[in-house]
Amino acid sequence: MTRTLLVTGGAGFIGSALVRMLLTATDYNVVNVDKLTYAGNLESLNDVADNSRYSFELADICDAEAIRGIFSQHQPCGVIHLAAESHVDRSIDGPAEFIRTNVFGTFTLLDEGLKYWKSLDDSARGAFRFQHVSTDEVFGSLGKDGLFTETTAYQPNSPYSASKAGSDHLVRAWHHTFKLPTITTNCSNNYGPYQFPEKLIPLVTLNAIAGKELPVYGKGENIRDWLYVDDHASGLLAAFERGKPGETYNFGGNNERTNIDVVRTICRIVDKLVPDSKIGARESLIRFVTDRPGHDMRYAIDSSKAQRDLGWMPRETFESGIEKTVRWYIDNMTWCEHVQSGAYRRERLGLGVNQ
Ligand code: NAD
């Protein structure tokens, strides 16, 4: 069996962190399958693009013929599937692309993955894994107490989370019905380098550096559990290598923060690292804006199963990870300028007015 992994969505935020880790810390060959939407950027892989174990396939996961050709050419020992439309606000303004990529695209990968898996010899079939990367948002919203576990009932609230829930169910069914050796992981909010600046942390960081307003939904009281992206990548590898087919694993950082706390923390770090007397204290740039429709109140995750069964532990605390992240954006303004010169220009999305 080859040591070749297909990684879908490897030009995105989490996918690129995974590809960098696989090429620097393991001996897998990596085939990155990505359509390069607005969120995919090959510049995120500049550090590893010359590695002889890396190859790139420009393809849409909804294109069955292209996916069939990629399986047949590269003969992978597994798939780690991250390709998706991933921004909740965009799913409110235009859900169709979320259903297409997240639901139909996952179906297409499963369908072609199953045909390929059936063509393998016994030992390769036994070793093969189809790993699906999902979110804790499929579980809905929590009140003040409690944590999502692997057995929490699904209750997705946004078009994004509903499309991810749909894909999780397809993956589960392909295991149950066809015995495809699947693994699903559900993770809390990620942050770190190379995140497209439409998500809270990079958006606020770049606006704070530039002295622009810092939009915060509602009163900023919504709570998210934050995981540093490299900790997610190490969890994905642990699940791929040690996870049991048919199982699901939750990953979280044990770092619950209100959005307003996150924004204030970023303001303090930016004030320290790039003081600007004309701008003054960045907290004065905070503006509370109309809340996102249907905004989930709280997410928090119990990752004890992954810790126990996979031997996985996050390394970064929120304090260490957020400082590293802000420093990275300050040092990588060229990357930020390049990814933003496309369709997205830090405009306000998700009010449901652009449909
Ligand atoms: P991202 O938006 O940064 O990247 C998505 C990548 O998928 C991009 O490179 C894009 O070009 C590619 N892509 C989109 N549609 C495609 C298609 N039809 N065919 C091929 N490639 C396509 O997303 P991310 O934040 O890196 O998230 C990766 C995965 O992890 C997603 O499945 C997401 O649901 C999941 N996830 C994300 C978070 C988070 O906080 N960002 C948390 C938990 C789970």
Side-chain angles (χ1 to χ4, degrees), residues 202-254:
L203 175 76
V204 166
T205 303
L206 293 186
N207 281 11
I209 295 167
K212 294 185 179 164
E213 292 190 352
L214 309 177
V216 176
Y217 289 135
K219 293 181 180 159
E221 286 167 346
N222 302 65
I223 294 173
R224 300 292 180 262
D225 168 27
W226 294 95
L227 182 69
Y228 191 68
V229 67
D230 291 349
D231 283 329
H232 188 187
S234 72
L236 293 177
L237 180 63
F240 184 80
E241 293 190 327
R242 298 191 283 283
K244 204 170 142 221
E247 291 290 330
T248 68
Y249 299 91
N250 283 354
F251 294 120
N254 220 4

Side-chain angles (χ1 to χ4, degrees), residues 268-319:
R268 280 195 294 276
I269 299 171
V270 174
D271 284 347
K272 182 177 81 176
L273 298 179
V274 273
D276 187 320
S277 57
K278 280 197 210 105
I279 298 172
R282 263 61 175 213
E283 277 200 30
S284 65
L285 301 168
I286 294 172
R287 298 286 178 275
F288 294 103
V289 300
T290 311
D291 208 352
R292 168 193 281 167
H295 202 176
D296 286 339
M297 194 57 212
R298 174 173 170 257
Y299 304 140
I301 210 150
D302 176 351
S303 57
S304 54
K305 178 177 171 184
Q307 296 187 22
R308 190 184 59 239
D309 293 2
L310 306 175
W312 170 82
M313 272 294 279
R315 287 187 170 183
E316 299 289 345
T317 63
F318 186 70
E319 285 63 36

Side-chain angles (χ1 to χ4, degrees), residues 9 11-15 33-37 39-40 59-62 82-86 100-101 133-135 160 164 187-190 195 199 232:
F13 166 48
I14 302 169
V33 182
D34 200 298
K35 180 186 165 186
L36 298 183
T37 68
D60 186 331
I61 56 163
C62 300
L82 297 102
E85 287 293 332
S86 71
R100 199 185 85 87
T101 286
V133 180
S134 192
T135 165
Y160 164 66
K164 292 297 292 187
C187 187
S188 64
N189 278 40
N190 283 218
Q195 187 169 29
K199 306 270 169 84
H232 188 187

